[in-house]
């Protein structure tokens, strides 16, 4: 509070540290195993061409996540609680059921991704990898009893592992900087398939469960009703969002660049995580394949913890009930073990889970915009006209492209 009131003698990074954390946790969902599949396929098939999609979607994510953080700061409630307070009961119940399905689909993708990481790294059966993932996730979530800081630190470290892994990958295979910079800023498509893949990249970016989670992480972190202090607190949270989402965007870009530099030039189109891992070794050596597996494992473990936390906030917010995290963890592990025991294709399962997330996205984004534009709820942090226009445009594009992705994936139109 001293920092908010200008009484603290700290400066620079030390001054920011009390406010860092919520966006870092949210950013983990932007580099989950679902992103691996879309980014690697995009880079291997189209080279650097779709880098601009990652850049644009990351900017949209910053807008949406900053609104979520702002809702928690201004109202002292998370998005699920706001829905419960302002919507009819049948709407609340329907939204809760949908968001629980979304949370379980998220958990399926992330749990499966971590199991794949163990499988690729240690050459063990996928089912053993799933059991190791369960133990690791339980151990990580146990840190919550010591407060939110240790868990935030662990998730931040795992995110750093993913980021550093892709820095290493791109040092092993140096990209072409000219085309890289050009395609980061110049929009371009190359046929219908590239549009579908662009929708997939965007669909794996803004996740509905993380919109609910971010508002929950800021709602009681630092409480103030002073308009001046609220604005200052929100400015600090914007810095948190920009840094965390910026790192996530760079990691996603690095995934695509790695695939473009490694596979596109040799004409290899890589459509699965396992194939990406296998083809990296003869092209770049054992070190790169090992780094890839480590990054996938860190991504799966960290995003799995975040998914469990999101599910807890969704249940507490909509239904005013709470169950122990370990119980939720046990329940949501079920679908992953079923998928593995049935022998279903892991990458295809990941893609289908992203479709379920896409279906749930409007039920998070639209209520968020409805609440953050209301001055009676948000006070001094209510959206201004420029923010409303930018957020509505971003939300409209996100929802439209996700609908397109669902249509193409399910109906093959």
């Amino acid at each position: 509070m001293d920092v908010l009131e200008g009484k603290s003698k700290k400066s620079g990074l030390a001054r920011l540290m009390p406010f860092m954390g919520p966006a870092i946790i949210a950013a983990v969902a932007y580099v989950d195993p679902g992103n691996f599949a879309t980014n690697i396929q995009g880079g291997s098939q189209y080279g650097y061409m779709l880098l601009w999609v990652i850049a644009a979607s990351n900017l949209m994510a910053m807008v949406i996540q900053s609104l979520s953080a702002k809702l928690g700061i201004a109202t002292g409630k998370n998005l699920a609680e706001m829905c419960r307070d302002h919507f009819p009961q049948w709407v609340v119940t329907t939204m809760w059921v949908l968001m629980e399905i979304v949370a379980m689909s998220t958990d399926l993708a992330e749990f499966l991704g971590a199991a794949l990481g163990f499988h690729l790294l240690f050459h063990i059966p996928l089912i053993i990898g799933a059991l190791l993932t369960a133990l690791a996730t339980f151990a990580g979530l146990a840190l919550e009893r010591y407060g939110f800081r240790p868990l935030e630190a662990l998730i931040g470290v795992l995110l750093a592992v993913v980021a550093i892994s892709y820095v290493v990958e791109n040092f092993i295979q140096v990209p072409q900087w000219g085309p890289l910079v050009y395609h980061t800023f110049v929009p371009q498509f190359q046929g219908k398939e590239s549009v579908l893949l662009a929708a997939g990249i965007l669909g794996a970016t803004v996740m509905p469960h993380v919109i609910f989670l971010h508002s929950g992480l800021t709602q009681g972190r630092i409480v103030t009703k002073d308009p001046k202090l609220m604005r200052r607190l929100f400015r600090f949270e914007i810095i948190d969002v920009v840094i965390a989402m910026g790192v996530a965007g760079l990691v996603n870009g690095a995934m695509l660049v790695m695939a473009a530099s490694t596979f596109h030039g040799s004409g290899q189109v890589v459509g699965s995580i396992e194939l990406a891992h296998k083809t990296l070794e003869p092209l770049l050596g054992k070190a790169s394949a090992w780094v890839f597996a480590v990054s996938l494992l860190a991504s799966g473990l960290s995003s799995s913890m975040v998914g469990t936390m999101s599910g807890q906030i969704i249940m507490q917010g909509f239904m005013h009930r709470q169950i122990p995290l370990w119980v939720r963890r046990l329940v949501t592990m079920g679908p992953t073990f079923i998928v593995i025991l049935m022998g279903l294709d892991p990458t295809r399962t990941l893609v289908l889970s992203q479709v379920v997330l896409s279906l749930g996205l409007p039920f998070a984004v639209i209520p968020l915009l409805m609440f953050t534009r209301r001055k009676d709820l948000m006070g001094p942090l209510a959206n201004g006209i420029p923010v409303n226009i930018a957020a509505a445009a971003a939300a409209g594009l996100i929802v439209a492209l996700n609908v397109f992705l669902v249509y193409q994936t399910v109906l093959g139109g």
Side-chain angles (χ1 to χ4, degrees), residues 289-363:
W290 186 82
V291 168
F292 176 84
V294 168
S295 66
L296 178 62
L297 176 59
S299 168
L301 288 176
S302 56
S303 55
S304 184
M305 293 180 207
V306 169
T308 305
M309 294 166 64
S310 301
Q312 187 79 322
I313 282 179
I314 286 169
M315 172 172 275
Q316 181 274 326
F318 279 119
M319 305 307 291
H320 213 253
R321 294 177 183 173
Q322 193 165 349
I323 60 175
L325 280 177
W326 67 269
V327 174
R328 174 171 284 278
R329 174 76 277 175
L330 278 175
V331 171
T332 54
M333 284 192 307
T336 305
F337 282 97
I338 292 171
V339 165
I340 294 171
L341 292 172
M342 289 179 65
L344 301 179
D345 177 45
T347 302
R348 178 62 177 169
T349 304
L350 285 174
V351 171
L352 291 176
S353 72
Q354 301 305 300
V355 173
V356 176
L357 294 182
S358 300
L359 288 170
L361 193 58
F363 298 94

Side-chain angles (χ1 to χ4, degrees), residues 207-405:
M207 299 293 189
H209 68 293
V210 185
I211 298 174
F212 285 93
L213 174 64
H214 203 164
S215 61
L217 294 173
T218 59
Q219 69 181 111
R221 192 180 182 90
I222 298 177
V223 180
T224 178
K225 291 299 180 182
D226 183 291
K228 182 179 178 181
L229 297 183
M230 286 174 68
R231 291 189 185 96
R232 186 173 295 170
L233 176 57
F234 180 52
R235 284 197 293 270
F236 281 118
E237 294 299 341
I238 287 178
I239 295 172
D240 186 28
V241 168
V242 170
I243 292 173
M245 297 298 156
V247 170
L250 290 173
V251 172
N252 278 311
M255 287 182 195
L256 189 144
V257 167
M258 180 273 293
S261 303
T262 306
F263 304 125
H264 184 65
S266 59
Q268 295 189 62
V269 177
V270 179
S272 74
I273 292 174
E274 300 98 317
L275 184 59
H277 178 264
K278 288 178 181 177
T279 52
L280 273 177
E281 189 167 319
L283 286 170
L284 303 178
K286 289 185 177 181
S288 62
W290 186 82
V291 168
F292 176 84
V294 168
S295 66
L296 178 62
L297 176 59
S299 168
L301 288 176
S302 56
S303 55
S304 184
M305 293 180 207
V306 169
T308 305
M309 294 166 64
S310 301
Q312 187 79 322
I313 282 179
I314 286 169
M315 172 172 275
Q316 181 274 326
F318 279 119
M319 305 307 291
H320 213 253
R321 294 177 183 173
Q322 193 165 349
I323 60 175
L325 280 177
W326 67 269
V327 174
R328 174 171 284 278
R329 174 76 277 175
L330 278 175
V331 171
T332 54
M333 284 192 307
T336 305
F337 282 97
I338 292 171
V339 165
I340 294 171
L341 292 172
M342 289 179 65
L344 301 179
D345 177 45
T347 302
R348 178 62 177 169
T349 304
L350 285 174
V351 171
L352 291 176
S353 72
Q354 301 305 300
V355 173
V356 176
L357 294 182
S358 300
L359 288 170
L361 193 58
F363 298 94
V365 174
I366 293 173
L368 179 67
L369 299 186
M370 289 172 59
F371 294 136
T372 54
R373 67 191 296 273
R374 288 177 54 177
K375 195 168 182 61
D376 61 320
L377 298 176
M378 300 294 293
L381 295 186
N383 298 343
I385 292 176
V387 174
N388 276 326
I389 293 174
L397 182 58
I398 289 167
V399 172
L401 283 177
N402 274 278
V403 169
F404 175 74
L405 174 64

Side-chain angles (χ1 to χ4, degrees), residues 192 260 278 407:
K192 181 180 177 181
K278 288 178 181 177
Y407 174 76

